[in-house]
Amino acid sequence: MDAFFAKVPFRAKLLGWGILLGPLLVLVLLARVFLRPEPMPSERVYGCYIADNAPWLEVEPGRIRVGDAERHAFAYVLEPAKEGYRLSVSPAMALNPQPNGRYEFRNERGIGYFWPLLPKSSDLPRDLRSPKDFGGRFSITARDSRDVLYVRSSRAEACE
């Protein structure tokens, strides 16, 4: 390959690389500026969430309270994800199936979990393209690989 470009002046090589890499660099910079996800205000996810056969969750400023016998609480961060938005929850607590068919949160090893937020009309996180699409729902994958769907409840007494 060196022999092929041996007689090409350095200035021509520099110009050639500029023609090849210049547009790519411009595209990367434009993507960084214009493809940033719109930030979601954390107030949008506040509320009481319920799921079938699972403890209720109440999302408050800075924490998520869990309505189980041990009264767990999680810290969370609301953040954009590769597809949609998610709650990054720590410490690592997993929904474990119980013999009676219900789920309970149990301590797990790890740094935490990611709970994808869902739009009103779909169970796919990638369909949540902007904060206004949030449908008051999120999904948690339990230890038995089932997705437990949490839905915001309008009844305040559901989280007591």
Side-chain angles (χ1 to χ4, degrees), residues 45-153:
V45 297
Y46 293 168
C48 175
Y49 293 83
I50 56 174
D52 293 335
N53 296 320
W56 55 260
L57 300 173
E58 185 166 11
V59 180
E60 301 173 337
R63 74 177 181 153
I64 299 174
R65 288 187 315 122
V66 179
D68 58 10
E70 296 182 28
R71 296 287 179 171
H72 295 104
F74 302 107
Y76 73 93
V77 175
L78 177 60
E79 63 186 10
K82 188 182 237 182
E83 295 181 332
Y85 295 82
R86 66 184 178 195
L87 292 173
S88 295
V89 180
S90 64
M93 302 272 286
L95 269 177
N96 287 326
Q98 301 301 307
N100 62 4
R102 297 192 51 81
Y103 289 94
E104 290 182 3
F105 281 98
R106 294 283 176 230
N107 287 326
E108 295 284 322
R109 293 182 64 159
I111 57 171
Y113 287 104
F114 305 110
W115 299 346
L117 302 180
L118 302 172
K120 293 177 185 130
S121 60
S122 172
D123 287 344
L124 299 174
R126 70 173 173 256
D127 290 341
L128 185 63
R129 293 185 176 90
S130 75
K132 68 180 183 323
D133 295 336
F134 178 55
R137 307 174 328 132
F138 58 85
S139 176
I140 300 175
T141 303
R143 298 292 292 162
D144 61 358
S145 299
R146 292 192 178 148
D147 285 332
V148 177
L149 182 66
Y150 273 88
V151 179
R152 187 171 15 223
S153 174

Side-chain angles (χ1 to χ4, degrees), residues 10-32:
F10 178 74
R11 186 174 180 182
K13 288 180 189 177
L14 190 61
L15 182 65
W17 283 111
I19 289 171
L20 288 173
L21 298 178
L24 290 175
L25 183 61
V26 168
L27 284 174
V28 168
L29 290 174
L30 287 173
R32 296 229 356 120

